[in-house]
Amino acid sequence: MALRLVADFDLGKDVLPWLRAQRAASEASEAGSGGADVLENDYESLRVLNVERNGNIIYTYKDDKGNVIFGLYDCQTRQNELLYTFEKDLQVFSCSVNSERTLLAASLVQSTKEGKRNELQPGSKCLTLLVEIHPVNNVKVLKAVDSYIWVQFLYPHVESHPLPENHLLLISEEKYIEQLRIHVAQEDGNRVFEVPLDVSLSNSGFKLVNFGCDYHQDREKLSKHLTLCVFTNRTGSLCVCYSPKCASWEQITYSVFYIHKGHSKTFTTSLENVGSHVTKGITFLNLDYYVAVYLPGHFFHLLNVQHPDLICHSLFLTGNNEMIDMLPHCPLQSLSGSLVLDCCSGKLYRALLSQSSLLQLLQNTRLDCEKMAALHCALYCGQGTRFLEGQIIQWISENVSACHSFDLIQEFIIASSYWSVYSETSNMDKLLPHSSVLTWNTEIPGITLVTEDIALPFMKVLNFKGYWEKLNSNLEYVKYAKPHFHYNNIVVRREWHNLISEEKTGKRRSTAYVRTILDNAIKVISNLEARNLGPRLTPLLQEEDSHQRLLMGLMVSELKDHFLRHLQGVEKKKIEQMVLDYISKLLDLICHILETSWRKHNLHSCILHFNSRGSAAEFAVFHIMTRILEATKSLFLPLPPGFHTLHTILGVHCLPLHNLLHCIDSGVLLLTETAVVRLMKDLDNTEKNEKLKFSIILRLPPLIGQKICRLWDHPMSSNIISRNHVTRLLQNYKKQPRNSMIDKSSFSVEFLPLNYFIEILTDIESSNQALYPFEGHDNVDAEFVEEAALKHTTMLLGL
């Protein structure tokens, strides 16, 4: 199932045996009888009432005399402790203990048994008490009103630095909250309480419900009305989940108000199994980055609350699905920290998303929307773990064309790189893209969605700290982030093209600037190699590839500037490391995808030579490399140095000549100096190979082409060298009147047009006006040109 419930606490196992042992010891000392029946009664009344922020659990039960007993289970020591006993038959529906376990707040109502007199103040149904449980049992009445009051102590962020005073919240069903500051002082050897401070919210337009674990309210009555839950998480999100009374069992509607995003979404889902009557209401569970919404036996939804804009980032499962049917059908209550309470059994679970189930869904579902959602959910669960990434990459390498609505490789690279640095700062979701998909117009089967803007809350707080600081940051971003702050490679693309153009024309800017860019690339590769301890199977990162290094270095520079602009207060050194980690992760994922395919098809280093024919395995790797190139090209992401060389070698192995040249001309294959040098050295001069070499040389940039021609001892190569030499000599040549007659005795061949042309070249070379030596070829002159022309003509004529 998509959601795993891992038991953290069980009343029957963690508390009941201890209570039985305590009672057995008491009964033995009193030599009483009927202990078994009493224990059974204790078990029936045993209830969990609250889970404090530190994880400690408060429970209550009634003994055989009707006394209400409070106990605490310490989640760290796994020990139980009795806190306090009320010697009255009262019903407790809310309680909380401070972090020092010296104060207990409890809200109680009178038991409804007939014949019992009203022990509370006349006209009141709820009594809220503050009890000093250590060292003296002083009791103070905080409220005696005709409405329910929930209580909760506020715990400090750092337990080692306790607050100088205790803070207690009183939450009323009449739409107000009071905060009591409780000072503990010494007076005649005893402790007293002082100075309450009320913070009234009576005019606000919301009502807090589901606070604590309440067993007193009529569950059946509540199930017939709306369900409303308020969820927060550490990233500063605030969601209000609302489900109205169900008017029809054919469709279920619920709304989620993303307060931190400034909009709401109303979801309507059709129920497939209408024949079975829905007896339970919708359950909302807080899973930190997600909110789970499910109706047992009918549907299970995972809503991405951090990135709710695109519906494809949320998962919607409906119908008879084993991922739905395995969830418990009993009422569950969501608590803080992804904790879930089973109110019937008294079990406390930690709700976790199941990586294995999400990977299974990713592999088996046919819908692109579910693949997208499952991929993001799985990466959220794994948060950059190598094993999970390996499983996803293994599937991608076998199903690279499985998605039609988005590029699977592209989405995986962007999302996984995002999660690799997500935890470094809370604002990373605003600065880095988490997805390559910008719009999604495809409908989700069985789901109708309506999105509406909502008013942003007004925050009037002097000093924002912790959660409130993050929430305020989210609200400020919604107000003013037009356009978005997400990084993109537009500037890098423009600057990279400028540098390449400068390289071709030989008019590059200062070498210091270029050296700084290339130094950035060296840092990225060093960082990448430090993260990868094992040897690499593929021949990547082993050559210069200055173009990819320039792209890498430019991305470092631009992304660092982007972070420095928007991450105020973060050290520059930390920002630099985040940038290196992010770009290193991008490159590492590309290497990982390629190595997975390489290992799967059992390729060896012999494919690096051109003297072998391509196999089906090589073609499969060539295909995955082409898809990687497509994914990175549209986003303008760097590739590991050596990628283009390997891609070209595989292309020469696997493709017919006309397909190979088409791939080169269309930019699918990028010729590198390393690949072409190897091609010239490995292949002999058969007719087929000559045609290949000549076609390649013609497509090389001039500077590289001049170097490569030196390596090919062939008339065709000499012809190209001669053409380049003549072009340079004649580019500024102006025809002059010539009175001299050609001396035939000086030429070995009587071919007047060629003789005349060679005389002109010789004349230019011997003049003082312009001598253009061919770089690296001092022996290239008019005589070399004549010889090359004759050889080429002889070859063409077949003589």
Side-chain angles (χ1 to χ4, degrees):
M1 58 181 177
L3 192 67
R4 290 191 301 121
L5 299 180
V6 180
D8 262 18
F9 170 80
D10 185 349
L11 276 175
K13 295 180 179 179
D14 295 315
V15 175
L16 191 58
W18 179 77
L19 291 178
R20 285 174 174 167
Q22 294 285 101
R23 182 59 58 86
S26 175
E27 293 290 335
S29 63
E30 297 177 3
S33 60
D37 294 336
V38 172
L39 288 178
E40 290 302 319
N41 292 334
D42 288 346
Y43 178 73
E44 292 177 0
S45 63
L46 189 59
R47 296 286 185 270
V48 172
L49 273 186
N50 200 4
V51 180
E52 302 290 0
R53 177 174 179 175
N54 58 11
N56 292 344
I57 300 164
I58 303 178
Y59 53 87
T60 66
Y61 65 96
K62 291 184 179 181
D63 61 14
D64 56 331
K65 299 178 182 178
N67 298 327
V68 178
I69 301 175
F70 292 84
L72 180 140
Y73 177 81
D74 192 314
C75 65
Q76 299 295 328
T77 64
R78 299 282 178 180
Q79 300 294 320
N80 287 279
E81 173 186 346
L82 290 180
L83 294 177
Y84 191 75
T85 300
F86 277 112
E87 296 181 351
K88 292 182 179 180
D89 190 3
L90 301 173
Q91 185 74 36
V92 183
F93 67 89
S94 179
C95 68
S96 180
V97 68
N98 64 347
S99 57
E100 295 83 12
R101 304 181 194 176
T102 58
L103 299 175
L104 175 70
S107 288
L108 311 98
V109 294
Q110 181 183 3
S111 178
T112 57
K113 293 181 181 179
E114 294 184 3
K116 299 288 288 186
R117 62 185 179 84
N118 186 1
E119 297 178 354
L120 305 178
Q121 296 184 10
S124 64
K125 74 175 182 182
C126 174
L127 179 66
T128 302
L129 301 177
L130 181 63
V131 181
E132 185 177 13
I133 57 178
H134 182 78
V136 180
N137 292 332
N138 291 327
V139 178
K140 179 179 179 64
V141 177
L142 298 179
K143 289 286 182 180
V145 294
D146 195 23
S147 61
Y148 288 110
I149 302 290
W150 288 265
V151 293
Q152 180 63 60
F153 277 102
L154 300 181
Y155 279 39
H157 282 277
V158 182
E159 294 293 339
S160 59
H161 298 83
L163 297 173
E165 57 191 5
N166 288 276
H167 293 242
L168 175 66
L169 292 183
L170 303 182
I171 300 95
S172 171
E173 65 177 349
E174 294 182 341
K175 304 181 183 180
Y176 71 86
I177 299 177
E178 293 184 36
Q179 176 179 277
L180 303 183
R181 293 182 179 177
I182 305 168
H183 295 266
V184 178
Q186 296 288 334
E187 183 177 297
D188 298 332
N190 297 321
R191 296 182 178 184
V192 300
F193 313 103
E194 300 174 351
V195 194
L197 174 64
D198 293 350
V199 181
S200 177
L201 299 177
S202 57
N203 294 327
S204 61
F206 63 88
K207 178 179 180 180
L208 292 176
V209 299
N210 218 21
F211 195 92
C213 312
D214 177 21
Y215 293 87
H216 182 71
Q217 298 188 51
D218 190 338
R219 294 279 176 186
E220 183 178 354
K221 181 179 178 181
L222 287 177
S223 66
K224 296 179 181 179
H225 294 82
L226 60 84
T227 299
L228 188 147
C229 298
V230 179
F231 293 146
T232 63
N233 71 18
R234 57 188 176 84
T235 65
S237 68
L238 176 60
C239 289
V240 178
C241 303
Y242 164 74
S243 174
K245 180 181 178 181
C246 183
S248 170
W249 294 123
E250 296 181 355
Q251 289 184 331
I252 296 291
T253 297
Y254 65 89
S255 299
V256 179
F257 296 83
Y258 303 94
I259 307 297
H260 58 293
K261 294 291 185 179
H263 64 260
S264 68
K265 292 182 182 292
T266 298
F267 302 89
T268 301
T269 179
S270 301
L271 301 185
E272 295 182 3
N273 191 15
V274 182
S276 63
H277 188 66
V278 179
T279 58
K280 308 294 183 182
I282 288 181
T283 297
F284 295 103
L285 299 179
N286 186 10
L287 302 179
D288 195 24
Y289 204 80
Y290 289 85
V291 166
V293 187
Y294 78 95
L295 187 64
H298 293 276
F299 68 81
F300 176 82
H301 299 170
L302 273 176
L303 306 181
N304 190 322
V305 300
Q306 198 66 18
H307 300 286
D309 299 328
L310 298 184
I311 191 173
C312 60
H313 293 143
S314 298
L315 181 61
F316 301 89
L317 300 177
T318 58
N320 295 323
N321 190 305
E322 63 178 7
M323 299 178 73
I324 302 173
D325 294 337
M326 294 180 67
L327 291 172
H329 288 214
C330 55
L332 296 179
Q333 184 172 352
S334 183
L335 305 175
S336 61
S338 298
L339 292 176
V340 178
L341 178 66
D342 183 339
C343 302
C344 299
S345 66
K347 294 181 180 180
L348 188 68
Y349 300 97
R350 191 164 299 277
L352 303 172
L353 291 173
S354 171
Q355 288 186 25
S356 59
S357 296
L358 291 169
L359 287 175
Q360 185 179 0
L361 177 65
L362 176 65
Q363 296 166 3
N364 297 334
T365 183
R366 298 179 182 178
L367 300 177
D368 282 4
C369 56
E370 291 187 355
K371 285 188 176 71
M372 171 76 81
L375 175 64
H376 280 268
C377 287
L379 290 174
Y380 160 72
C381 295
Q383 303 252 348
T385 56
R386 193 74 173 179
F387 177 72
L388 174 66
E389 289 176 349
Q391 289 181 300
I392 296 176
I393 288 173
Q394 183 69 41
W395 178 77
I396 289 177
S397 65
E398 299 171 358
N399 302 271
V400 68
S401 301
C403 298
H404 305 286
S405 304
F406 64 98
D407 188 307
L408 191 55
I409 294 178
Q410 195 176 75
E411 189 68 13
F412 170 71
I413 290 175
I414 292 297
S416 189
S417 300
Y418 165 82
W419 281 113
S420 69
V421 295
Y422 173 78
S423 60
E424 298 294 331
T425 172
S426 60
N427 290 323
M428 197 57 69
D429 63 306
K430 306 179 185 66
L431 302 179
L432 283 176
H434 76 289
S435 171
S436 64
V437 177
L438 300 179
T439 59
W440 185 275
N441 300 320
T442 307
E443 294 183 356
I444 306 294
I447 297 292
T448 302
L449 174 64
V450 177
T451 302
E452 297 178 309
D453 291 336
I454 59 175
L456 295 175
F458 177 69
M459 304 278 289
K460 190 176 181 180
V461 181
L462 295 179
N463 294 314
F464 292 105
K465 292 183 179 179
Y467 167 79
W468 299 108
E469 181 180 10
K470 295 174 183 177
L471 175 59
N472 186 63
S473 174
N474 288 332
L475 296 176
E476 293 294 312
Y477 177 75
V478 173
K479 291 178 184 176
Y480 305 114
K482 310 284 184 182
H484 294 300
F485 292 162
H486 282 167
Y487 169 81
N488 62 67
N489 273 347
I490 293 178
V491 175
V492 173
R493 184 192 300 264
R494 183 173 62 247
E495 183 66 6
W496 186 81
H497 283 302
N498 290 339
L499 288 174
I500 299 303
S501 299
E502 292 170 4
E503 180 186 77
K504 291 180 180 179
T505 59
K507 299 179 181 178
R508 177 166 281 180
R509 275 168 283 177
S510 67
T511 56
Y513 171 75
V514 177
R515 189 182 302 115
T516 301
I517 298 300
L518 294 177
D519 286 345
N520 289 341
I522 293 174
K523 294 177 182 178
V524 171
I525 294 177
S526 299
N527 192 59
L528 174 59
E529 294 293 355
R531 293 159 61 108
N532 185 72
L533 301 179
R536 293 193 182 276
L537 299 176
T538 52
L540 299 178
L541 307 172
Q542 297 176 9
E543 66 176 79
E544 285 299 319
D545 198 344
S546 60
H547 288 185
Q548 292 305 311
R549 289 177 181 260
L550 282 174
L551 180 54
M552 209 182 300
L554 286 171
M555 189 173 178
V556 171
S557 179
E558 183 61 24
L559 187 57
K560 184 167 63 175
D561 291 343
H562 178 72
F563 282 173
L564 287 172
R565 282 193 299 270
H566 301 295
L567 287 179
Q568 303 296 328
V570 180
E571 295 181 359
K572 184 177 180 181
K573 188 175 182 180
K574 183 178 179 181
I575 288 178
E576 290 177 349
Q577 188 60 48
M578 281 194 298
V579 170
L580 293 178
D581 289 343
Y582 181 74
I583 301 177
S584 298
K585 186 65 176 182
L586 285 171
L587 295 169
D588 183 53
L589 290 171
I590 295 171
C591 293
H592 197 174
I593 294 172
L594 185 53
E595 292 207 341
T596 299
S597 183
W598 188 282
R599 187 181 297 107
K600 174 187 174 183
H601 296 287
N602 198 27
L603 294 187
H604 302 285
S605 59
C606 62
I607 73 163
L608 300 179
H609 301 283
F610 288 95
N611 51 10
S612 62
R613 300 186 63 181
S615 62
E618 291 178 23
F619 187 84
V621 175
F622 174 77
H623 177 65
I624 197 78
M625 292 189 74
T626 304
R627 295 302 301 267
I628 293 173
L629 185 64
E630 292 173 354
T632 56
K633 191 174 182 179
S634 61
L635 296 175
F636 212 73
L637 299 176
L639 289 164
F643 182 93
H644 287 295
T645 295
L646 180 58
H647 195 208
T648 299
I649 292 174
L650 289 174
V652 173
H653 282 191
C654 301
L655 300 177
L657 180 59
H658 64 281
N659 287 348
L660 175 69
L661 298 180
H662 176 71
C663 288
I664 294 173
D665 294 337
S666 61
V668 175
L669 288 176
L670 184 65
L671 296 175
T672 64
E673 185 175 344
T674 303
V676 178
V677 167
R678 187 166 293 166
L679 182 143
M680 293 297 168
K681 291 182 176 180
D682 286 356
L683 294 182
D684 56 21
N685 289 331
T686 63
E687 182 178 353
K688 179 180 179 181
N689 289 343
E690 284 180 351
K691 190 174 182 181
L692 170 62
K693 289 182 179 180
F694 182 63
S695 301
I696 294 294
I697 287 178
L698 288 180
R699 286 165 170 78
L700 290 175
L703 292 179
I704 298 180
Q706 293 171 8
K707 297 179 183 178
I708 297 301
C709 286
R710 299 170 55 190
L711 304 175
W712 189 21
D713 186 13
H714 189 271
M716 193 66 70
S717 177
S718 299
N719 181 44
I720 295 172
I721 294 173
S722 299
R723 287 174 181 271
N724 291 333
H725 180 69
V726 170
T727 300
R728 299 184 67 184
L729 283 179
L730 297 180
Q731 61 184 354
N732 295 320
Y733 173 71
K734 294 182 179 179
K735 186 176 180 180
Q736 301 292 335
R738 302 180 63 84
N739 297 323
S740 62
M741 297 295 294
I742 297 177
D743 183 5
K744 295 183 180 180
S745 62
S746 62
F747 294 95
S748 58
V749 179
E750 292 187 5
F751 184 29
L752 294 181
L754 177 61
N755 294 346
Y756 180 77
F757 180 63
I758 295 302
E759 183 184 6
I760 293 176
L761 293 182
T762 305
D763 195 28
I764 295 175
E765 289 177 352
S766 62
S767 67
N768 296 325
Q769 296 178 359
L771 183 61
Y772 299 95
F774 194 177
E775 183 182 355
H777 290 278
D778 296 333
N779 59 338
V780 178
D781 52 16
E783 183 178 351
F784 180 89
V785 173
E786 179 186 22
E787 181 181 353
L790 291 173
K791 286 182 180 180
H792 185 62
T793 303
T794 302
M795 184 183 68
L796 291 177
L797 295 176
L799 300 176

